[in-house]
Amino acid sequence: MASQPKPPPPPRPKTRGNYNCGRCGQPKKGHVCVAPVPVAAPSGGGGAPSPSPSTSSGAASASGGGGGEPHRLRRALSFDEAGTPSSPEKKPKVEGDVEMGEPEEGGGEDDDDDAVMEVGGRPVPREVMAEVLRRLGPRGVMAAAGVSRGWRDCAGRVWRAADELRLRVLAGSGAGILAALLPRCAALSCLHLRMERDVDATTLACLASSCPSLKTLEITMAANATNRMTGEDLNHFVSEKPSLSVLKIGGCSNLDFINLCSSSLSVLWLSDLCSLSKSVMNCPNMSELSLCFEQQSNGCTDLVSLMDAMGRTCPNLNKMHISSNQLSNEAVFALESANLRGLCMLSLILGSKITDAAVASIVRSCTSLELLDLSGSSISDNGVGMICKAFPQTLSRLLLALCPNVTTRGIQLATAQLPLLQLMDCGMSLCTNLNNEKGPMFGDINGGIRIIRKLCAAKKQPIHQKLIIKHSNLKKLSLWGCSAIDALYVNCPELNDLNLNSCTNLHPERLLLQCPNLKNVHAAGCQDMLIGAIRNQVNVNQTR
């Protein structure tokens, strides 16, 4: 009898790979397992319910003990599941998510459903990832947002939590890049822009509408960029920003007038001004003002009216910097009538018409100056004497560069009668011939002396000026361009920075530096023998 054919074996269950959940046996595709870790769920059964938003997704698995405590649910986070279309990790983020570093809403043990993300197959809390992205620049954060939806969410956390932003706007980009980026930064309060493209009213309008909480705005212009904003544009921008307190703008050559009215503005810097036909600043809380005019400007700016109005519109002003070749004694007299008794820093530079009479006015109107800068003026040693008698207990920084009427007598008088002096600049004041000089030569030396060949081969002129400086608190001394000095003796134990650039007639054998803390010496344009003498004396002082 022929044998009966054997029935075929029953089909084996498909167990190859990780297509089924290892806990409940359900297919992984479109499945979120809610079974506890120690207990394996049966292979059959209906679909598992999705976890609630309060379910912890990044916590460690629950313990296997059978106590009365309920098991905490945990989402299986593995590399295989990360790319499934229905994975909860791919859900879009809800608008208005809390900022980075703050606790999630709800508190307690349960976290948000999207509290973790996968990086390299491992769960990483999104707060940690956002903290890492926060240390990148704006370009890096924008690149990270294109990796995945989870990375984009972390980048969004960075933008929403940013309170200070520094951007460089390239020439090829338009104002649209600012309109696209700035609205993401809801908490932005400080913005620094380096503009390599032109700035106009459109840029200001974009900043006004995109940054509701802006408090500090600084705009610097590259050499190939032009600031086209007018006085009307600036006035409109300030009026729309009631929270703005610090405003610094460069390249303001098109500002024909200023009419600012703000109760919050405290710091105002405007540089590269050309001419102001009208200037009104009704800012009662302003404490710092800086107006820098172009040196070639011969406009119709009325500095006398500007100074006179300061006392009425800005009574709390304590720092003032005006740079203009239109400065004169009359402008300083108007400042005295403004009655700004709270001034502690006053800088009036490039005013060749300022004389000792203006110094007497400053002494009468200011009682506690800590910084005084009269560089480029025509004051003499008598004016320096008045300064020393008026501010012996307050003045710590005195700048008298490009003052041709100041001699070694005035410099030595200042160092002898101002015990709190820490910085003094006398560059190009002790100069044999201002017309033959090539201008200031600033060095950049850190912890040593840079050997630089002579910049010019000008003929030595007969000079016989000796400068002796002895001070116990002086830290920085600048004598750049003082070619009239042939002998220098400095005894300053706290001095750490000395500028001798272009001191072409200083003899090496007539130099004595007794400064044990001297670290930075600038000697560009000096003789080679003088550079060697400076190096030897610095090394000797440091080895003592």
Side-chain angles (χ1 to χ4, degrees), residues 19 24 50 69 177 203 273 345 350 369 454 468:
Y19 297 106
C24 63
S50 59
E69 221 176 282
I177 185 66
T203 307
L273 292 166
M345 296 184 181
L350 299 180
L369 281 182
K454 290 180 287 185
I468 301 175

Side-chain angles (χ1 to χ4, degrees), residues 36-39 60-67 69-72:
V37 175
V39 181
S61 58
S63 61
E69 221 176 282
H71 293 289
R72 294 184 61 189

Side-chain angles (χ1 to χ4, degrees), residues 229-248:
M229 71 175 66
T230 63
E232 184 178 358
D233 300 333
L234 183 62
N235 302 338
H236 186 65
F237 174 77
V238 174
S239 63
E240 287 187 345
K241 308 302 294 182
S243 61
L244 189 67
S245 60
V246 178
L247 180 61
K248 302 179 181 180

Side-chain angles (χ1 to χ4, degrees), residues 423-435:
L423 182 149
M424 188 168 187
D425 184 5
C426 307
M428 297 288 287
S429 294
L430 307 176
C431 186
T432 55
N433 191 353
L434 287 174
N435 295 327

Side-chain angles (χ1 to χ4, degrees), residues 97-105 115 125-135 153-162:
D97 193 10
V98 294
E99 295 180 353
M100 175 184 60
E102 295 184 358
E104 298 283 346
E105 293 183 358
R126 296 203 176 193
E127 289 78 6
V128 176
M129 194 64 193
E131 185 69 20
V132 173
L133 294 182
R134 193 174 65 85
R135 285 161 170 74
D153 170 69
C154 293
R157 290 170 180 251
V158 174
W159 294 128
R160 289 190 294 272

Side-chain angles (χ1 to χ4, degrees), residues 255-258 273-281 291 293 297-310 312 322 324-328 330-332 334-335:
L255 291 184
D256 49 352
F257 69 94
I258 299 177
L273 292 166
C274 184
S275 177
L276 294 178
S277 59
K278 178 184 178 181
S279 54
V280 177
M281 284 173 281
L291 302 177
F293 293 82
S297 175
N298 295 316
C300 57
T301 304
D302 190 356
L303 291 179
V304 177
S305 300
L306 175 64
M307 297 288 194
D308 184 61
M310 287 298 169
R312 297 189 298 270
I322 307 293
S324 173
N325 54 14
Q326 301 296 321
L327 282 171
S328 60
E330 288 74 17
V332 181
L335 183 64

Side-chain angles (χ1 to χ4, degrees), residues 41-122:
S43 58
S50 59
S52 63
S54 61
T55 301
S56 174
S57 60
S61 58
S63 61
E69 221 176 282
H71 293 289
R72 294 184 61 189
L73 303 182
R74 175 184 182 274
R75 178 186 302 147
L77 298 174
S78 66
F79 182 78
D80 293 333
E81 294 181 358
T84 55
S86 60
S87 173
E89 292 299 320
K90 294 297 183 177
K91 290 181 180 178
K93 262 323 254 192
V94 180
E95 290 296 328
D97 193 10
V98 294
E99 295 180 353
M100 175 184 60
E102 295 184 358
E104 298 283 346
E105 293 183 358
E109 283 187 25
D110 297 332
D111 299 323
D112 187 75
D113 190 35
D114 289 332
V116 297
M117 61 178 294
E118 286 204 13
V119 178
R122 295 185 178 181

